[in-house]
Amino acid sequence: MEVKVQKKTKLRPVAVPPGVEPEDLVNTPVIQEAARVLREGGLVAFPTETVYGLGATGLDSEAVAGVFAAKGRPADNPLILHIAAVEDLQQIVPEVPPLARTLAQSFWPGPLTIVLPKGPVVPAITTGGLNTVAVRMPDHPVALALLAAAGVPVAAPSANISGRPSPTEAAHVMADLQGKVDIILDGGSTSVGVESTVVDCTGPVPVILRPGGVSREALEEVVGRVELDPHVQGGEEIHGPVRSPGMKYRHYAPEAPAVLIRGEPPELFRRLTALANELEAQGETIGLMVSRELLGYWREHGVDGSRWQVAVMGSRTNPSEIAANIYRCLRELDETDVTQIILEGISARGVGLAVMNRLQKAAANRIIDV
Ligand code: AMP
Ligand code: MG
């Protein structure tokens, strides 16, 4: 095996005051430096509104190979190309069908990735050997400034070691990729917190290959019926071809084994608490990822959860808040000595579908329905 020289990773803070525009950042020394590194074939981690991305020039096979190597990512798991403007899509695909155009115009910049037949400029390594390519325009001033300054589409998967929870803070990127990337741009915590929704637009009806920051309901308001690939549901073994290679990998997983418990309060809270007690009696050290409402239930019922590591995801009534916190909570529990994690499930409506997809994967499909 080739011996890789450790890189000296530079952590560069970028101030992102409210209302700052990409144009305000594009000529700053830090963005110009990062863009230069990209153009020269280097690796730059940068914030987007979803999670931090690990970027390389997406049309240069060698640079893209560096992304796969740094993450330890399987070669057949394709990358998403990030662009600075809706019009840049034309440089990547031979044809933009009306459906894709409508979606791009409605949701870009934003957490929606569009899959289309690829043009010849896109190297096979970027698409994991597929004849389709995934493209999105992110909604983050640092990402857009970097993309504009680089002047090329940037291939950027999440900036974590393959299989680990995605990074929502620069410190998470440092923890996984220090010594493997050239620059990490620190733009604070990401706002959406889960990855983009990946939509296959190669057929007449759009198909969600991965739920994410844009809900199925929001898509349907704009384009009518949207299908959900059966692999997205999870929970049970599904046969048939995997249409999005990322689906077949264990993902977003904490170090300790996790179990996901689904249902409605108060029964959900009663059973979750009973499960924690039961596993503890078996000698496990318990970590919990729960809603604020569960803490209310404990207070009401005199449950003392102080011996457990508790990470609060947010309110069950606010799936966007929970989405913004799940990866940080998983990483927090990783830093403790817990041996068993229990994840509280929420409703799979709206962004809750993306949350539940990630929690199911984090639990490697160990699910209890109550
Ligand atoms: P990540 O960048 O780590 O969020 O992963 C990108 C994900 O997008 C992959 O794991 C795939 O599920 C999906 N994806 C990217 N390109 C394609 C494509 N051409 N066809 C289907 N799915 C894709
Ligand atoms: Mg990823």
Side-chain angles (χ1 to χ4, degrees):
M1 232 184 87
E2 189 188 346
V3 179
K4 280 267 175 278
V5 182
Q6 280 257 318
K7 290 175 183 264
K8 185 164 174 350
T9 302
K10 297 177 194 164
L11 181 62
R12 293 270 189 267
V14 186
V16 191
V20 73
E21 296 291 334
E23 304 83 77
D24 304 330
L25 298 173
V26 73
N27 288 317
T28 58
V30 54
I31 293 295
Q32 287 294 320
E33 179 192 15
R36 195 162 51 243
V37 167
L38 281 178
R39 281 194 304 267
E40 289 168 359
L43 299 180
V44 175
F46 59 95
T48 78
E49 80 280 33
T50 59
V51 302
Y52 274 73
L54 172 58
T57 293
L59 307 183
D60 172 344
S61 302
E62 225 172 287
V64 173
V67 171
F68 282 93
K71 283 184 58 96
R73 185 172 174 108
D76 64 349
N77 194 0
L79 309 183
I80 294 169
L81 284 182
H82 291 68
I83 55 177
V86 176
E87 308 83 67
D88 294 348
L89 181 56
Q90 273 129 262
Q91 303 164 15
I92 297 172
V93 301
E95 201 195 319
V96 183
L99 171 69
R101 185 171 303 280
T102 303
L103 286 173
Q105 279 164 352
S106 307
F107 293 99
W108 286 0
L112 181 74
T113 295
I114 295 176
V115 172
L116 287 172
K118 81 174 192 73
V121 287
V122 184
I125 185 172
T126 301
T127 65
L130 298 172
N131 54 14
T132 54
V133 62
V135 189
R136 104 171 172 103
M137 177 182 173
D139 187 14
H140 193 290
V142 174
L144 288 172
L146 177 67
L147 294 168
V152 288
V154 171
S158 51
N160 52 287
I161 295 293
S162 197
R164 297 252 302 136
S166 300
T168 56
E169 297 170 15
H172 300 162
V173 184
M174 275 298 258
D176 278 18
L177 297 177
Q178 186 169 22
K180 296 182 170 180
V181 304
D182 296 292
I183 301 185
I184 301 170
L185 298 177
D186 183 353
S189 297
T190 63
S191 56
V192 175
V194 289
E195 293 83 348
S196 59
T197 303
V198 178
V199 178
D200 184 335
C201 291
T202 59
V205 178
V207 181
I208 294 177
L209 302 178
R210 176 179 74 181
V214 174
S215 69
R216 180 187 194 174
E217 295 86 339
L219 293 172
E220 288 189 325
E221 264 177 46
V222 173
V223 292
R225 190 161 69 91
V226 174
E227 279 173 11
L228 206 54
D229 187 280
H231 289 88
V232 168
Q233 321 270 3
E236 59 281 342
E237 200 60 38
I238 291 156
H239 300 283
V242 174
R243 296 172 71 176
S244 180
M247 291 170 173
K248 68 180 184 232
Y249 297 107
R250 176 165 181 267
H251 226 126
Y252 320 115
E255 276 152 33
V259 58
L260 172 62
I261 179 161
R262 299 189 297 202
E264 285 301 319
E267 181 61 4
L268 173 65
F269 295 161
R270 197 181 67 72
R271 295 283 293 273
L272 189 155
T273 308
L275 181 64
N277 277 312
E278 207 176 293
L279 290 167
E280 187 181 41
Q282 291 167 19
E284 304 284 359
T285 305
I286 306 298
L288 303 167
M289 255 171 72
V290 298
S291 65
R292 215 171 281 127
E293 285 83 351
L294 177 95
L295 300 185
Y297 171 91
W298 281 358
R299 233 173 286 123
E300 246 175 68
H301 292 80
V303 176
D304 174 16
S306 62
R307 346 179 267 298
W308 302 326
Q309 287 289 341
V310 181
V312 180
M313 304 183 286
S315 168
R316 291 179 63 81
T317 62
N318 186 354
S320 299
E321 182 192 11
I322 290 187
N325 290 318
I326 50 175
Y327 290 135
R328 182 179 49 76
C329 288
L330 286 167
R331 281 181 181 260
E332 261 173 36
L333 291 179
D334 267 351
E335 263 151 40
T336 68
D337 57 356
V338 300
T339 59
Q340 177 65 57
I341 295 173
I342 303 173
L343 307 169
E344 175 187 331
I346 63 166
S347 156
R349 275 192 300 275
V351 177
L353 180 66
V355 168
M356 288 304 282
N357 171 264
R358 305 308 188 272
L359 293 182
Q360 278 171 214
K361 291 200 168 212
N365 278 335
R366 279 183 297 266
I367 299 171
I368 299 173
D369 283 310
V370 302

